[in-house]
Amino acid sequence: MISAGEPAPEFTLRNQDGEKVSLSDFRGRKLLIVFYPLDFSPICTDQLSIYQEVKPEIEAEGVTIVGISVDSGFAHKAFQESLGIDIPLLADFEPKGEVARAYGAYVEKFGHANRSLVLVDEEGTVEWVHESPTPLEIPGANLIFDAIAASQSAR
Amino acid sequence: MKMTSDLTSAAVPPPGPEDHRRGAGETLIVYSDLACPHCASAWAEISAREATVVFRHFPVASKHPRAPALHAAAEAAGLQGRFFEMVDSLYADRSHVDDPHLWRRVEELGLDLERFEADRRSDAVAARVRRDFESGIRAGVMATPALFAS
C-alpha cells in the first residue's frame, strides 16, 4: 500500500456518467479516495451509505470524496441510484484494477481492491492511508474525520 | 478551519438522562434505524431481553429515505411520553409508514395529533436525532443495528 508522503499516482478514469476524471482535477483541494471491493456487495453498500450521510461534513472541510472499484461505469451508475448516493464512483475497469494496483490497494487473489482510504493533499501528495485488515472490515467514518483533524493541526 | 460538527473518534457515550431507556438490568445501547428491516427483526429480540435498553437514533437516509421522518415521529411521540410505544409500533408493522398511517398510530397511542405534527417538524427534534447519529458516527458505527454493552 502506498504511504503518506509519497506522490499520489496520477490517474484518469471514467465516472458513473462516462465522464473522464483525473487526479489532477482536484489539485488545490484535498481528495479522499475510497477504494472498495465491488458494487452491490452488502458491506460496500453500508460503507458508502454511511459516508454519504456525512458527505456534507467531509466537504465542509475542503475534502472531495470519490469511490473507486473495478466495476464498469454502468454498474456504478446503477449502484449509485440503488443506494441513493451522489458520491462520484470511478471505474477502474480497463485495464482492470490498474489504479488500485498503482496505490497498492489491489488484491490479486480476489480480483478487486481491498477496502482502503487514501487522503491526497492539495499538491497531490498522499497525506494519510488506511487499509482494512480484511475486505470485511469497514473503516468507520470517524477515521476520516480523525485524519482531516490531524492534517489541519499539523499545519 | 473550524469543523461544523466534531465527528472525530470518541467512545460511545454512557447512558445519560436524555437517553431513551426502557427496562431493568444490564445496559444495552442500540444504534438503530427505524426503517431498517434488520433492525426490526433485532428489535423483537432485544426487547425480549431482561436488560435496560437504550435506544439511539441512527437513520441512514440515503439507504432508507423514510428513516428521518420515522425517527422524528418517534421523538415527537417521546415528547408526549410514548417514545418506545412508537418505536415498537414502527418495527412491528414496517409497511404502513406514510403520514396517514403515522396519524393512525398517533391516535392509537392516544397522543395529541396537532402537537405531534408540530413537534416532529421542529428543529429541536431534528437536532435530538442528529445528536444520537453523530455519537454513533464518532464511535465508528457503520451498520445497523449496532449494539454496545455498557
Side-chain angles (χ1 to χ4, degrees), chain A residues 55-99:
Chain A
K55 184 168 165 267
E57 283 81 1
I58 292 173
E59 289 177 340
E61 301 301 330
V63 179
T64 303
I65 176 171
V66 298
I68 297 182
S69 80
V70 296
D71 298 274
S72 72
F74 297 107
H76 277 341
K77 183 74 177 174
F79 187 47
Q80 226 191 18
E81 286 175 356
S82 119
L83 288 185
I85 65 170
D86 62 6
I87 295 171
L89 302 178
L90 310 185
D92 195 8
F93 182 68
E94 182 57 38
K96 186 185 177 191
E98 187 179 45
V99 174

mmCIF file of all heavy atoms in Angstrom, chain A residues 55-99:
data_model
loop_
_atom_site.group_PDB
_atom_site.id
_atom_site.type_symbol
_atom_site.label_atom_id
_atom_site.label_comp_id
_atom_site.label_asym_id
_atom_site.label_seq_id
_atom_site.Cartn_x
_atom_site.Cartn_y
_atom_site.Cartn_z
ATOM 1 N N LYS A 55 -21.205 13.209 4.106
ATOM 2 C CA LYS A 55 -20.536 13.878 2.981
ATOM 3 C C LYS A 55 -20.543 15.412 3.139
ATOM 4 O O LYS A 55 -19.521 16.044 2.872
ATOM 5 C CB LYS A 55 -21.218 13.456 1.676
ATOM 6 C CG LYS A 55 -20.588 13.998 0.427
ATOM 7 C CD LYS A 55 -21.158 13.271 -0.802
ATOM 8 C CE LYS A 55 -20.844 13.984 -2.092
ATOM 9 N NZ LYS A 55 -21.903 14.917 -2.505
ATOM 10 N N PRO A 56 -21.658 16.020 3.607
ATOM 11 C CA PRO A 56 -21.611 17.484 3.779
ATOM 12 C C PRO A 56 -20.520 17.912 4.756
ATOM 13 O O PRO A 56 -19.849 18.927 4.549
ATOM 14 C CB PRO A 56 -23.004 17.829 4.329
ATOM 15 C CG PRO A 56 -23.876 16.695 3.899
ATOM 16 C CD PRO A 56 -22.995 15.476 3.894
ATOM 17 N N GLU A 57 -20.340 17.132 5.820
ATOM 18 C CA GLU A 57 -19.305 17.473 6.810
ATOM 19 C C GLU A 57 -17.905 17.268 6.217
ATOM 20 O O GLU A 57 -16.994 18.026 6.519
ATOM 21 C CB GLU A 57 -19.469 16.612 8.069
ATOM 22 C CG GLU A 57 -20.599 17.047 8.987
ATOM 23 C CD GLU A 57 -21.973 16.563 8.560
ATOM 24 O OE1 GLU A 57 -22.069 15.858 7.526
ATOM 25 O OE2 GLU A 57 -22.955 16.894 9.252
ATOM 26 N N ILE A 58 -17.740 16.230 5.393
ATOM 27 C CA ILE A 58 -16.441 15.996 4.754
ATOM 28 C C ILE A 58 -16.133 17.162 3.805
ATOM 29 O O ILE A 58 -15.038 17.734 3.819
ATOM 30 C CB ILE A 58 -16.448 14.648 3.983
ATOM 31 C CG1 ILE A 58 -16.545 13.474 4.965
ATOM 32 C CG2 ILE A 58 -15.202 14.513 3.102
ATOM 33 C CD1 ILE A 58 -16.721 12.099 4.293
ATOM 34 N N GLU A 59 -17.118 17.555 3.017
ATOM 35 C CA GLU A 59 -16.913 18.632 2.044
ATOM 36 C C GLU A 59 -16.683 19.973 2.732
ATOM 37 O O GLU A 59 -15.940 20.808 2.220
ATOM 38 C CB GLU A 59 -18.106 18.713 1.092
ATOM 39 C CG GLU A 59 -18.122 17.517 0.147
ATOM 40 C CD GLU A 59 -19.318 17.485 -0.789
ATOM 41 O OE1 GLU A 59 -20.336 18.151 -0.479
ATOM 42 O OE2 GLU A 59 -19.236 16.774 -1.805
ATOM 43 N N ALA A 60 -17.328 20.144 3.898
ATOM 44 C CA ALA A 60 -17.144 21.402 4.639
ATOM 45 C C ALA A 60 -15.692 21.577 5.080
ATOM 46 O O ALA A 60 -15.258 22.686 5.374
ATOM 47 C CB ALA A 60 -18.067 21.431 5.853
ATOM 48 N N GLU A 61 -14.963 20.486 5.109
ATOM 49 C CA GLU A 61 -13.544 20.548 5.476
ATOM 50 C C GLU A 61 -12.658 20.718 4.249
ATOM 51 O O GLU A 61 -11.429 20.599 4.337
ATOM 52 C CB GLU A 61 -13.136 19.273 6.225
ATOM 53 C CG GLU A 61 -13.926 19.035 7.498
ATOM 54 C CD GLU A 61 -13.798 20.179 8.489
ATOM 55 O OE1 GLU A 61 -12.752 20.843 8.498
ATOM 56 O OE2 GLU A 61 -14.761 20.421 9.237
ATOM 57 N N GLY A 62 -13.256 20.962 3.098
ATOM 58 C CA GLY A 62 -12.461 21.174 1.881
ATOM 59 C C GLY A 62 -11.995 19.884 1.244
ATOM 60 O O GLY A 62 -11.000 19.863 0.516
ATOM 61 N N VAL A 63 -12.697 18.794 1.535
ATOM 62 C CA VAL A 63 -12.289 17.483 1.013
ATOM 63 C C VAL A 63 -13.376 16.968 0.070
ATOM 64 O O VAL A 63 -14.561 16.986 0.399
ATOM 65 C CB VAL A 63 -12.103 16.465 2.165
ATOM 66 C CG1 VAL A 63 -11.692 15.100 1.621
ATOM 67 C CG2 VAL A 63 -11.070 16.972 3.168
ATOM 68 N N THR A 64 -12.954 16.519 -1.127
ATOM 69 C CA THR A 64 -13.876 15.866 -2.057
ATOM 70 C C THR A 64 -13.720 14.365 -1.868
ATOM 71 O O THR A 64 -12.607 13.875 -1.685
ATOM 72 C CB THR A 64 -13.524 16.229 -3.517
ATOM 73 O OG1 THR A 64 -13.567 17.648 -3.643
ATOM 74 C CG2 THR A 64 -14.503 15.612 -4.497
ATOM 75 N N ILE A 65 -14.835 13.641 -1.912
ATOM 76 C CA ILE A 65 -14.775 12.185 -1.732
ATOM 77 C C ILE A 65 -15.169 11.507 -3.043
ATOM 78 O O ILE A 65 -16.137 11.916 -3.690
ATOM 79 C CB ILE A 65 -15.674 11.740 -0.541
ATOM 80 C CG1 ILE A 65 -15.693 10.215 -0.397
ATOM 81 C CG2 ILE A 65 -17.090 12.268 -0.636
ATOM 82 C CD1 ILE A 65 -16.384 9.721 0.879
ATOM 83 N N VAL A 66 -14.389 10.483 -3.443
ATOM 84 C CA VAL A 66 -14.749 9.659 -4.604
ATOM 85 C C VAL A 66 -14.553 8.191 -4.225
ATOM 86 O O VAL A 66 -13.726 7.861 -3.375
ATOM 87 C CB VAL A 66 -13.901 9.962 -5.864
ATOM 88 C CG1 VAL A 66 -14.085 11.394 -6.332
ATOM 89 C CG2 VAL A 66 -12.431 9.636 -5.660
ATOM 90 N N GLY A 67 -15.322 7.318 -4.863
ATOM 91 C CA GLY A 67 -15.137 5.878 -4.685
ATOM 92 C C GLY A 67 -14.504 5.295 -5.947
ATOM 93 O O GLY A 67 -14.763 5.790 -7.052
ATOM 94 N N ILE A 68 -13.667 4.285 -5.784
ATOM 95 C CA ILE A 68 -13.073 3.595 -6.933
ATOM 96 C C ILE A 68 -13.208 2.083 -6.721
ATOM 97 O O ILE A 68 -12.845 1.559 -5.662
ATOM 98 C CB ILE A 68 -11.568 3.944 -7.108
ATOM 99 C CG1 ILE A 68 -11.387 5.442 -7.398
ATOM 100 C CG2 ILE A 68 -10.941 3.103 -8.217
ATOM 101 C CD1 ILE A 68 -9.925 5.873 -7.642
ATOM 102 N N SER A 69 -13.758 1.406 -7.729
ATOM 103 C CA SER A 69 -13.738 -0.060 -7.724
ATOM 104 C C SER A 69 -13.544 -0.529 -9.165
ATOM 105 O O SER A 69 -13.558 0.282 -10.095
ATOM 106 C CB SER A 69 -15.038 -0.642 -7.150
ATOM 107 O OG SER A 69 -16.053 -0.625 -8.134
ATOM 108 N N VAL A 70 -13.397 -1.841 -9.330
ATOM 109 C CA VAL A 70 -13.116 -2.390 -10.664
ATOM 110 C C VAL A 70 -14.376 -2.516 -11.526
ATOM 111 O O VAL A 70 -14.297 -2.964 -12.667
ATOM 112 C CB VAL A 70 -12.431 -3.782 -10.570
ATOM 113 C CG1 VAL A 70 -11.078 -3.658 -9.897
ATOM 114 C CG2 VAL A 70 -13.306 -4.787 -9.836
ATOM 115 N N ASP A 71 -15.524 -2.115 -10.996
ATOM 116 C CA ASP A 71 -16.766 -2.234 -11.767
ATOM 117 C C ASP A 71 -16.810 -1.210 -12.899
ATOM 118 O O ASP A 71 -16.124 -0.196 -12.870
ATOM 119 C CB ASP A 71 -17.963 -1.997 -10.834
ATOM 120 C CG ASP A 71 -18.023 -3.017 -9.733
ATOM 121 O OD1 ASP A 71 -18.589 -4.087 -9.957
ATOM 122 O OD2 ASP A 71 -17.474 -2.750 -8.638
ATOM 123 N N SER A 72 -17.677 -1.466 -13.870
ATOM 124 C CA SER A 72 -17.835 -0.560 -15.010
ATOM 125 C C SER A 72 -18.643 0.668 -14.600
ATOM 126 O O SER A 72 -19.342 0.667 -13.569
ATOM 127 C CB SER A 72 -18.565 -1.267 -16.143
ATOM 128 O OG SER A 72 -19.928 -1.431 -15.794
ATOM 129 N N GLY A 73 -18.595 1.686 -15.447
ATOM 130 C CA GLY A 73 -19.383 2.890 -15.207
ATOM 131 C C GLY A 73 -20.876 2.605 -15.168
ATOM 132 O O GLY A 73 -21.619 3.230 -14.410
ATOM 133 N N PHE A 74 -21.320 1.647 -15.967
ATOM 134 C CA PHE A 74 -22.758 1.313 -15.988
ATOM 135 C C PHE A 74 -23.187 0.708 -14.648
ATOM 136 O O PHE A 74 -24.247 1.018 -14.115
ATOM 137 C CB PHE A 74 -23.062 0.340 -17.130
ATOM 138 C CG PHE A 74 -22.770 0.923 -18.484
ATOM 139 C CD1 PHE A 74 -21.671 0.494 -19.225
ATOM 140 C CD2 PHE A 74 -23.576 1.920 -19.016
ATOM 141 C CE1 PHE A 74 -21.396 1.038 -20.464
ATOM 142 C CE2 PHE A 74 -23.304 2.472 -20.260
ATOM 143 C CZ PHE A 74 -22.202 2.031 -20.990
ATOM 144 N N ALA A 75 -22.342 -0.173 -14.124
ATOM 145 C CA ALA A 75 -22.644 -0.768 -12.812
ATOM 146 C C ALA A 75 -22.613 0.329 -11.746
ATOM 147 O O ALA A 75 -23.475 0.372 -10.859
ATOM 148 C CB ALA A 75 -21.636 -1.865 -12.487
ATOM 149 N N HIS A 76 -21.617 1.219 -11.854
ATOM 150 C CA HIS A 76 -21.518 2.320 -10.880
ATOM 151 C C HIS A 76 -22.791 3.165 -10.871
ATOM 152 O O HIS A 76 -23.281 3.572 -9.829
ATOM 153 C CB HIS A 76 -20.343 3.230 -11.230
ATOM 154 C CG HIS A 76 -19.010 2.736 -10.725
ATOM 155 N ND1 HIS A 76 -18.866 1.821 -9.718
ATOM 156 C CD2 HIS A 76 -17.744 3.069 -11.091
ATOM 157 C CE1 HIS A 76 -17.568 1.621 -9.489
ATOM 158 N NE2 HIS A 76 -16.871 2.357 -10.313
ATOM 159 N N LYS A 77 -23.300 3.444 -12.069
ATOM 160 C CA LYS A 77 -24.498 4.284 -12.182
ATOM 161 C C LYS A 77 -25.681 3.610 -11.471
ATOM 162 O O LYS A 77 -26.404 4.238 -10.693
ATOM 163 C CB LYS A 77 -24.825 4.514 -13.661
ATOM 164 C CG LYS A 77 -25.999 5.421 -13.916
ATOM 165 C CD LYS A 77 -25.639 6.867 -13.652
ATOM 166 C CE LYS A 77 -26.788 7.824 -13.978
ATOM 167 N NZ LYS A 77 -26.442 9.189 -13.560
ATOM 168 N N ALA A 78 -25.838 2.321 -11.758
ATOM 169 C CA ALA A 78 -26.950 1.576 -11.147
ATOM 170 C C ALA A 78 -26.768 1.475 -9.628
ATOM 171 O O ALA A 78 -27.734 1.580 -8.862
ATOM 172 C CB ALA A 78 -27.039 0.185 -11.763
ATOM 173 N N PHE A 79 -25.517 1.291 -9.209
ATOM 174 C CA PHE A 79 -25.216 1.170 -7.775
ATOM 175 C C PHE A 79 -25.534 2.492 -7.065
ATOM 176 O O PHE A 79 -26.182 2.507 -6.011
ATOM 177 C CB PHE A 79 -23.743 0.805 -7.615
ATOM 178 C CG PHE A 79 -23.304 0.485 -6.214
ATOM 179 C CD1 PHE A 79 -24.037 -0.366 -5.401
ATOM 180 C CD2 PHE A 79 -22.117 1.017 -5.709
ATOM 181 C CE1 PHE A 79 -23.608 -0.679 -4.113
ATOM 182 C CE2 PHE A 79 -21.678 0.703 -4.432
ATOM 183 C CZ PHE A 79 -22.428 -0.136 -3.633
ATOM 184 N N GLN A 80 -25.085 3.585 -7.689
ATOM 185 C CA GLN A 80 -25.336 4.913 -7.122
ATOM 186 C C GLN A 80 -26.839 5.141 -6.967
ATOM 187 O O GLN A 80 -27.308 5.601 -5.925
ATOM 188 C CB GLN A 80 -24.777 5.949 -8.103
ATOM 189 C CG GLN A 80 -23.969 7.023 -7.504
ATOM 190 C CD GLN A 80 -23.686 8.126 -8.514
ATOM 191 O OE1 GLN A 80 -24.332 8.277 -9.549
ATOM 192 N NE2 GLN A 80 -22.691 8.914 -8.193
ATOM 193 N N GLU A 81 -27.589 4.798 -8.015
ATOM 194 C CA GLU A 81 -29.044 5.013 -7.974
ATOM 195 C C GLU A 81 -29.700 4.119 -6.940
ATOM 196 O O GLU A 81 -30.595 4.539 -6.215
ATOM 197 C CB GLU A 81 -29.652 4.775 -9.362
ATOM 198 C CG GLU A 81 -29.338 5.924 -10.318
ATOM 199 C CD GLU A 81 -29.811 5.675 -11.743
ATOM 200 O OE1 GLU A 81 -30.326 4.566 -12.010
ATOM 201 O OE2 GLU A 81 -29.646 6.579 -12.577
ATOM 202 N N SER A 82 -29.219 2.881 -6.859
ATOM 203 C CA SER A 82 -29.842 1.957 -5.915
ATOM 204 C C SER A 82 -29.569 2.367 -4.464
ATOM 205 O O SER A 82 -30.405 2.178 -3.585
ATOM 206 C CB SER A 82 -29.374 0.523 -6.205
ATOM 207 O OG SER A 82 -28.712 -0.042 -5.144
ATOM 208 N N LEU A 83 -28.410 2.966 -4.215
ATOM 209 C CA LEU A 83 -28.092 3.412 -2.854
ATOM 210 C C LEU A 83 -28.657 4.789 -2.537
ATOM 211 O O LEU A 83 -28.706 5.184 -1.374
ATOM 212 C CB LEU A 83 -26.574 3.477 -2.651
ATOM 213 C CG LEU A 83 -25.794 2.183 -2.552
ATOM 214 C CD1 LEU A 83 -24.340 2.490 -2.224
ATOM 215 C CD2 LEU A 83 -26.374 1.283 -1.476
ATOM 216 N N GLY A 84 -29.018 5.535 -3.566
ATOM 217 C CA GLY A 84 -29.453 6.916 -3.340
ATOM 218 C C GLY A 84 -28.297 7.800 -2.911
ATOM 219 O O GLY A 84 -28.467 8.686 -2.081
ATOM 220 N N ILE A 85 -27.124 7.557 -3.487
ATOM 221 C CA ILE A 85 -25.950 8.356 -3.109
ATOM 222 C C ILE A 85 -25.491 9.184 -4.306
ATOM 223 O O ILE A 85 -25.808 8.853 -5.454
ATOM 224 C CB ILE A 85 -24.772 7.476 -2.619
ATOM 225 C CG1 ILE A 85 -24.231 6.585 -3.751
ATOM 226 C CG2 ILE A 85 -25.188 6.635 -1.433
ATOM 227 C CD1 ILE A 85 -22.936 5.878 -3.401
ATOM 228 N N ASP A 86 -24.749 10.259 -4.015
ATOM 229 C CA ASP A 86 -24.188 11.027 -5.130
ATOM 230 C C ASP A 86 -22.670 11.135 -5.031
ATOM 231 O O ASP A 86 -22.069 11.985 -5.679
ATOM 232 C CB ASP A 86 -24.860 12.399 -5.245
ATOM 233 C CG ASP A 86 -24.653 13.266 -4.010
ATOM 234 O OD1 ASP A 86 -23.903 12.856 -3.098
ATOM 235 O OD2 ASP A 86 -25.245 14.357 -3.959
ATOM 236 N N ILE A 87 -22.055 10.288 -4.235
ATOM 237 C CA ILE A 87 -20.592 10.220 -4.208
ATOM 238 C C ILE A 87 -20.156 9.735 -5.596
ATOM 239 O O ILE A 87 -20.639 8.697 -6.064
ATOM 240 C CB ILE A 87 -20.105 9.221 -3.128
ATOM 241 C CG1 ILE A 87 -20.479 9.722 -1.730
ATOM 242 C CG2 ILE A 87 -18.596 8.979 -3.239
ATOM 243 C CD1 ILE A 87 -20.225 8.698 -0.616
ATOM 244 N N PRO A 88 -19.276 10.483 -6.300
ATOM 245 C CA PRO A 88 -18.848 10.024 -7.624
ATOM 246 C C PRO A 88 -18.120 8.675 -7.514
ATOM 247 O O PRO A 88 -17.326 8.457 -6.594
ATOM 248 C CB PRO A 88 -17.872 11.114 -8.089
ATOM 249 C CG PRO A 88 -18.163 12.301 -7.237
ATOM 250 C CD PRO A 88 -18.651 11.759 -5.924
ATOM 251 N N LEU A 89 -18.435 7.784 -8.443
ATOM 252 C CA LEU A 89 -17.810 6.460 -8.450
ATOM 253 C C LEU A 89 -17.013 6.323 -9.741
ATOM 254 O O LEU A 89 -17.552 6.520 -10.837
ATOM 255 C CB LEU A 89 -18.873 5.358 -8.352
ATOM 256 C CG LEU A 89 -19.777 5.417 -7.111
ATOM 257 C CD1 LEU A 89 -20.822 4.307 -7.144
ATOM 258 C CD2 LEU A 89 -18.959 5.318 -5.824
ATOM 259 N N LEU A 90 -15.733 5.997 -9.617
ATOM 260 C CA LEU A 90 -14.848 5.911 -10.784
ATOM 261 C C LEU A 90 -14.575 4.452 -11.118
ATOM 262 O O LEU A 90 -14.375 3.615 -10.231
ATOM 263 C CB LEU A 90 -13.535 6.649 -10.503
ATOM 264 C CG LEU A 90 -13.682 8.078 -9.939
ATOM 265 C CD1 LEU A 90 -12.316 8.747 -9.814
ATOM 266 C CD2 LEU A 90 -14.598 8.924 -10.822
ATOM 267 N N ALA A 91 -14.572 4.184 -12.440
ATOM 268 C CA ALA A 91 -14.459 2.803 -12.927
ATOM 269 C C ALA A 91 -13.011 2.449 -13.245
ATOM 270 O O ALA A 91 -12.462 2.900 -14.245
ATOM 271 C CB ALA A 91 -15.332 2.636 -14.167
ATOM 272 N N ASP A 92 -12.443 1.627 -12.387
ATOM 273 C CA ASP A 92 -11.058 1.138 -12.556
ATOM 274 C C ASP A 92 -11.148 -0.183 -13.332
ATOM 275 O O ASP A 92 -10.724 -1.233 -12.867
ATOM 276 C CB ASP A 92 -10.465 0.934 -11.154
ATOM 277 C CG ASP A 92 -8.958 0.793 -11.156
ATOM 278 O OD1 ASP A 92 -8.341 1.009 -12.209
ATOM 279 O OD2 ASP A 92 -8.421 0.448 -10.081
ATOM 280 N N PHE A 93 -11.745 -0.083 -14.521
ATOM 281 C CA PHE A 93 -12.287 -1.243 -15.216
ATOM 282 C C PHE A 93 -11.347 -1.825 -16.260
ATOM 283 O O PHE A 93 -11.244 -3.044 -16.409
ATOM 284 C CB PHE A 93 -13.611 -0.808 -15.871
ATOM 285 C CG PHE A 93 -14.345 -1.895 -16.590
ATOM 286 C CD1 PHE A 93 -14.915 -2.949 -15.881
ATOM 287 C CD2 PHE A 93 -14.479 -1.861 -17.971
ATOM 288 C CE1 PHE A 93 -15.596 -3.959 -16.543
ATOM 289 C CE2 PHE A 93 -15.158 -2.872 -18.634
ATOM 290 C CZ PHE A 93 -15.718 -3.919 -17.919
ATOM 291 N N GLU A 94 -10.666 -0.966 -17.010
ATOM 292 C CA GLU A 94 -9.817 -1.463 -18.100
ATOM 293 C C GLU A 94 -8.605 -0.580 -18.269
ATOM 294 O O GLU A 94 -8.781 0.596 -18.594
ATOM 295 C CB GLU A 94 -10.645 -1.529 -19.402
ATOM 296 C CG GLU A 94 -9.901 -2.083 -20.597
ATOM 297 C CD GLU A 94 -9.340 -3.468 -20.364
ATOM 298 O OE1 GLU A 94 -10.010 -4.280 -19.696
ATOM 299 O OE2 GLU A 94 -8.217 -3.728 -20.818
ATOM 300 N N PRO A 95 -7.377 -1.006 -18.081
ATOM 301 C CA PRO A 95 -7.038 -2.343 -17.561
ATOM 302 C C PRO A 95 -7.540 -2.502 -16.127
ATOM 303 O O PRO A 95 -7.380 -1.596 -15.316
ATOM 304 C CB PRO A 95 -5.516 -2.367 -17.605
ATOM 305 C CG PRO A 95 -5.093 -1.184 -18.416
ATOM 306 C CD PRO A 95 -6.181 -0.182 -18.335
ATOM 307 N N LYS A 96 -8.108 -3.660 -15.865
ATOM 308 C CA LYS A 96 -8.772 -3.897 -14.584
ATOM 309 C C LYS A 96 -7.856 -3.653 -13.386
ATOM 310 O O LYS A 96 -6.790 -4.258 -13.290
ATOM 311 C CB LYS A 96 -9.280 -5.335 -14.541
ATOM 312 C CG LYS A 96 -10.110 -5.637 -13.309
ATOM 313 C CD LYS A 96 -10.475 -7.102 -13.250
ATOM 314 C CE LYS A 96 -11.228 -7.422 -11.985
ATOM 315 N NZ LYS A 96 -11.361 -8.853 -11.774
ATOM 316 N N GLY A 97 -8.297 -2.769 -12.513
ATOM 317 C CA GLY A 97 -7.594 -2.542 -11.247
ATOM 318 C C GLY A 97 -6.264 -1.808 -11.372
ATOM 319 O O GLY A 97 -5.482 -1.793 -10.426
ATOM 320 N N GLU A 98 -6.031 -1.151 -12.517
ATOM 321 C CA GLU A 98 -4.721 -0.507 -12.721
ATOM 322 C C GLU A 98 -4.443 0.566 -11.671
ATOM 323 O O GLU A 98 -3.331 0.671 -11.148
ATOM 324 C CB GLU A 98 -4.680 0.097 -14.131
ATOM 325 C CG GLU A 98 -3.320 0.637 -14.512
ATOM 326 C CD GLU A 98 -3.307 1.212 -15.925
ATOM 327 O OE1 GLU A 98 -4.254 1.954 -16.287
ATOM 328 O OE2 GLU A 98 -2.366 0.909 -16.667
ATOM 329 N N VAL A 99 -5.469 1.361 -11.358
ATOM 330 C CA VAL A 99 -5.262 2.445 -10.379
ATOM 331 C C VAL A 99 -5.099 1.854 -8.970
ATOM 332 O O VAL A 99 -4.221 2.255 -8.208
ATOM 333 C CB VAL A 99 -6.423 3.460 -10.445
ATOM 334 C CG1 VAL A 99 -6.304 4.506 -9.349
ATOM 335 C CG2 VAL A 99 -6.456 4.107 -11.824
#
